[in-house]
Amino acid sequence: MQQKLKVLMLNGSPRANGNTSVALKEMEQVFKDNGIETEIILVGNKDIRGCIACGSCYEKGKCVFNDMVNELALKFEEADGLVVASPVYYASANATLIACLDRLFYSSHFDKTMKVGASVVCARRGGCSATFDELNKYFTISGMPVASSQYWNSIHGRMPGESEQDGEGKQTMRTLARNMTFLMKSIA
């Protein structure tokens, strides 16, 4: 019997139930409907410092800063897929999320090849494609297949709950989750 597939979902928003979480919840439901285990972790409001390129991770096998990044590394290693979601700030991802991803990808030395990645961005209006591109680079440098949807993986909303009204964005998230499911099952 095949082991149950797992997706780790990182919410880079500082707001636990903000517009970015709407996108993740749309995806989470599709994963659950397909028997895929999910875990959503809020990282956007945590105290995560940037990488200092000390190289200690090569000696210790983990980051020298003992915070949630080392915990995420263990979960990431166990996962078949990784979804990284962020609000857009000045056409870029949340700085806390970027610090987390820099350290997570640099300090974890397990093979990421063939773990499926997907990035999700949320903005009032502009900057989504630049942020989408920024997040996808973590996957492509690691040999991870990148899941796509019928459009760029973005949802729109500014005020709390506003992205609930973005029907096209929510549909894009559901298609993304279905495509990611297909890729993970095919690879497994």
Side-chain angles (χ1 to χ4, degrees), residues 4 9 18 37 39 54 56 61 83 88 93 111 120 137 148 152 156 158 172-174 186:
K4 192 168 189 176
M9 305 172 83
E37 186 179 314
E39 183 176 6
C54 68
S56 291
V83 176
V88 175
D111 185 12
V120 170
K137 289 177 179 161
S148 62
W152 293 298
H156 293 89
R158 180 179 173 266
T172 299
M173 296 307 128
R174 292 189 299 270
S186 296

Side-chain angles (χ1 to χ4, degrees), residues 52-135:
I52 60 169
C54 68
S56 291
C57 57
Y58 281 97
E59 298 165 22
K60 300 178 184 213
K62 64 180 187 171
C63 185
V64 68
F65 300 117
N66 198 19
D67 59 14
M68 87 177 303
V69 173
N70 288 332
E71 296 166 26
L72 289 174
L74 298 173
K75 293 174 185 284
F76 183 19
E77 186 171 15
E78 294 288 315
D80 301 285
L82 177 66
V83 176
V84 178
S86 181
V88 175
Y89 299 146
Y90 295 95
S92 184
N94 176 326
T96 302
L97 177 64
I98 294 302
C100 176
L101 293 174
D102 283 351
R103 288 180 42 220
L104 177 64
F105 276 79
Y106 189 75
S107 69
S108 58
H109 301 129
F110 58 84
D111 185 12
K112 297 167 190 68
T113 307
M114 294 301 125
K115 289 182 183 288
V116 178
S119 62
V120 170
V121 297
C122 178
R124 178 190 70 84
R125 191 169 194 86
C128 285
S129 60
T131 305
F132 178 63
D133 180 53
E134 176 185 24
L135 295 176

